[in-house]
Amino acid sequence: MQTGLDIAQSTENIIASLSYFIPEFIITVGFLLIIIIDLFMKKAERLVFFATMFTLFLAAVAYLIQLNIIQTNSLLLFNGMFLHNSYVIGFKLLALFASLLSLVFFNQDKDLKNHPKGINDFYTIFLGGVLGLLTLISSANLLMLFLAIEMLSIASYLMVSYTNKEKLQAEAGMKYVLFGATASAIMLYGLTFLYGFSGTLNLYNDHIFTAFEQVNSFSASLVLLMVLAGIGFKLSFVPFHFWTPDAYQQAPTSVSSFLSTVPKIAVFAFLFRLAAPFQLVSIHFSTIILFAAGLTMLVGNVMAVFQKDLKRLLAYSSIGHTGFLLMLLVLPDDSTMSSNLWFYLFAYSITNIGAFMSIAYLEESFNIKTLQQLKGLGKLNTIIAPCLVVFMVSLTGLPPTVGFMAKFVVFSSLISETTAIGFLVPILIVAVLTTVLSLFYYFNIPLHIYLKKPEQLIVKEKKSPIFDFFIIILAVIVLIAGVFPSFFKIF
């Protein structure tokens, strides 16, 4: 039972924590403001878009100020509910950067803009999802972890199903919701076991891991698998990936782009903080993660080879990249792990959003949805087609792109640990083989664009020059970050 002194200290801690939560308050105010604007103003799409953008921009500025003035290593806020340190802020800034790019993409997406419901409700859902992922990145409590994942998941379900008008879209949305609900239930069951073993929900209470250490090996592995089920669903690693190809193919392209990048940043940012303590208390943690990484790279890359639809191809590609990222979680050094994870997620986000933007451009301008329809595009389009090739080269991991540097840091940091970490060598061999395999499907795209016999391409509708501008800028960043990677590292 809490005494008067405990309550006073608890209240003091909450009041002291408020100043660190200013960016989240900004997003909450923006969320409410957009609802009010939409309620009382007709045809306010442009105003709502700029209000959403201003909200995200203001939150990013607040995080930048916090990053510059942060002095201590780590702070626990709101009586241990949230963690605050430079790594957390760094990942939040990356998530906001990718969210801002996604917002521009949403604004240019014809499916969303022309929908009878309008796009204002969508922006509200999007901001709610952003608040969920920022909460997830700094979660330091099992209950807060579950609430943050659910907040992000519910926003994602609504975004995928927002434009449902055909049977296949409804089926994909339903599959996504059902898989998500099952994964959440299994994860919640695992979290209750963790609480049952330790008697605490606080992830930064040493007792939670020392108590877990006393549990027998089988039970510990089972609980780990249960907790990873919910996290694995958001990351789409095997065997929790089944919803991904259908959801990416049927959702609006801008939503697929968002799902393939921003939630990954949040979930990996949280997962890396759990990796070190779990490595210490469970000898099976590294084995489970490496096994999942190897399987995810194999399934993602092998299945991508057989895809003809461009969005399904990128869906399986994103599964393959998740496997690469998972390998980093077995690194014993926290700072190396977070630094390499941040850079890989940055490289993957700008490349993947650029690739999805290019595909959306081609779909709306030329009605191109499949590999076969790309034939001869290089002669008709001299701006977006070369940009798409740059993104494919980067996703493969070839120089001089940022994708090459990202894969280079992953391999270089893991190779030095091969003697210390069991099963790492075979998984690295799988990583090399799947990288070679990815050449076949990524380079199929430039092959069809430039070397296949042209077919008749009809221009449906010319896209806004803003869209061209962002695709070109992203392609340039992919090249510059590949040559000068140190300019884009914040750790």
Side-chain angles (χ1 to χ4, degrees):
M1 177 186 268
Q2 280 194 320
T3 64
L5 185 63
D6 291 336
I7 292 171
Q9 284 176 342
S10 176
T11 309
E12 224 173 88
N13 183 277
I14 290 170
I15 293 169
S17 303
L18 289 173
S19 61
Y20 297 99
F21 232 55
I22 288 173
E24 282 80 359
F25 290 139
I26 291 171
I27 292 179
T28 307
V29 170
F31 174 83
L32 296 172
L33 188 66
I34 288 169
I35 293 175
I36 293 168
I37 293 173
D38 191 39
L39 274 176
F40 295 102
M41 293 181 72
K42 299 291 178 193
K43 296 185 178 177
E45 285 85 0
R46 194 176 288 268
L47 178 62
V48 169
F49 168 69
F50 282 113
T52 310
M53 179 167 274
F54 184 68
T55 301
L56 294 179
F57 181 74
L58 212 56
V61 170
Y63 280 131
L64 277 173
I65 293 169
Q66 287 185 353
L67 192 64
N68 285 326
I69 61 174
I70 192 163
Q71 292 176 348
T72 52
N73 286 330
S74 291
L75 282 174
L76 283 173
L77 308 177
F78 296 101
N79 295 307
M81 299 301 277
F82 298 102
L83 180 73
H84 182 81
N85 61 24
S86 56
Y87 294 126
V88 166
I89 298 172
F91 280 107
K92 284 184 175 180
L93 278 169
L94 180 59
L96 280 181
F97 171 68
S99 298
L100 275 165
L101 287 176
S102 300
L103 177 64
V104 173
F105 199 173
F106 296 144
N107 184 249
Q108 295 294 317
D109 194 315
K110 208 171 127 189
D111 285 343
L112 292 174
K113 286 181 81 173
N114 294 344
H115 196 270
K117 283 184 284 192
I119 195 170
N120 290 351
D121 289 341
F122 185 87
Y123 289 139
T124 315
I125 298 165
F126 166 64
L127 268 190
V130 171
L131 189 59
L133 65 92
L134 294 177
T135 309
L136 174 61
I137 291 173
S138 55
S139 292
N141 180 284
L142 292 175
L143 184 61
M144 192 49 64
L145 160 70
F146 184 74
L147 290 176
I149 285 191
E150 285 310 291
M151 200 169 166
L152 179 57
S153 298
I154 290 169
S156 303
Y157 302 149
L158 293 171
M159 288 165 80
V160 167
S161 308
Y162 194 78
T163 58
N164 270 358
K165 54 190 175 189
E166 294 172 9
K167 190 180 169 186
L168 284 175
Q169 289 176 320
E171 184 185 328
M174 185 58 73
K175 195 184 282 186
Y176 185 32
V177 172
L178 290 176
F179 268 109
T182 308
S184 293
I186 295 172
M187 184 180 73
L188 185 61
Y189 207 47
L191 294 179
T192 58
F193 272 114
L194 268 180
Y195 177 70
F197 293 148
S198 61
T200 178
L201 293 170
N202 188 349
L203 285 167
Y204 287 84
N205 183 334
D206 289 341
H207 189 58
I208 195 168
F209 294 107
T210 50
F212 191 68
E213 206 173 2
Q214 308 302 318
V215 180
N216 70 62
S217 169
F218 175 77
S219 302
S221 301
L222 190 64
V223 171
L224 269 180
L225 284 172
M226 285 178 169
V227 174
L228 287 174
I231 295 172
F233 170 76
K234 295 310 301 176
L235 291 178
S236 307
F237 68 68
V238 178
F240 308 106
H241 68 289
F242 290 106
W243 61 274
T244 313
D246 289 344
Y248 282 25
Q249 186 181 11
Q250 299 302 331
T253 310
S254 57
V255 175
S256 307
S257 166
F258 173 81
L259 290 178
S260 70
T261 51
V262 188
K264 272 190 173 64
I265 296 170
V267 179
F268 270 112
F270 173 79
L271 200 53
F272 112 82
R273 291 194 281 111
L274 278 189
F278 270 127
Q279 280 178 34
L280 290 175
V281 299
S282 172
I283 54 170
H284 298 295
F285 179 79
S286 296
T287 310
I288 292 172
I289 290 293
L290 284 176
F291 182 72
L295 206 58
T296 303
M297 286 186 284
L298 270 176
V299 172
N301 286 289
V302 170
M303 291 303 293
V305 172
F306 301 102
Q307 303 309 312
K308 301 297 177 198
D309 184 279
L310 293 170
K311 283 163 71 176
R312 280 186 85 85
L313 188 151
L314 284 186
Y316 280 108
S317 148
S318 85
I319 294 172
H321 281 275
T322 299
F324 252 90
L325 283 157
L326 278 174
M327 287 195 299
L328 285 170
L329 296 177
V330 301
L331 283 173
D333 182 52
D334 261 11
S335 59
T336 310
M337 188 198 300
S338 59
S339 168
N340 292 349
L341 203 56
W342 191 95
F343 186 71
Y344 197 104
L345 284 165
F346 165 75
Y348 173 73
S349 297
I350 56 169
T351 307
N352 217 43
I353 291 174
F356 270 108
M357 277 187 174
S358 306
I359 287 173
Y361 179 98
L362 298 178
E363 186 178 345
E364 290 185 20
S365 299
F366 305 102
N367 201 25
I368 290 174
K369 294 180 181 176
T370 64
L371 271 172
Q372 294 298 318
Q373 292 170 331
L374 284 172
K375 286 179 181 175
L377 178 72
K379 292 187 178 177
L380 192 64
N381 186 296
T382 54
I383 297 175
I384 303 304
C387 289
L388 183 57
V389 173
V390 170
F391 297 131
M392 292 302 111
V393 172
S394 183
L395 285 171
T396 310
L398 294 177
T401 61
V402 68
F404 167 74
M405 291 310 302
K407 287 199 173 179
F408 178 77
V409 295
V410 172
F411 279 116
S412 57
S413 59
L414 287 169
I415 282 172
S416 58
E417 301 294 337
T418 48
T419 51
I421 303 170
F423 302 109
L424 185 54
V425 173
I427 299 302
L428 281 175
I429 293 171
V430 170
V432 172
L433 291 176
T434 51
T435 299
V436 175
L437 184 63
S438 70
L439 279 167
F440 289 99
Y441 62 85
Y442 285 132
F443 274 64
N444 232 348
I445 290 177
L447 179 77
H448 279 77
I449 290 175
Y450 291 108
L451 299 180
K452 293 279 184 180
K453 193 177 174 184
E455 290 183 359
Q456 191 179 8
L457 287 167
I458 300 167
V459 179
K460 272 175 63 187
E461 181 185 334
K462 195 162 173 59
K463 287 287 294 176
S464 154
I466 296 171
F467 211 57
D468 296 41
F469 172 76
F470 273 96
I471 293 172
I472 294 167
I473 289 292
L474 286 175
V476 171
I477 294 174
V478 164
L479 292 171
I480 293 176
V483 181
F484 306 105
S486 54
F487 289 167
F488 296 86
K489 287 187 173 181
I490 66 170
F491 297 130

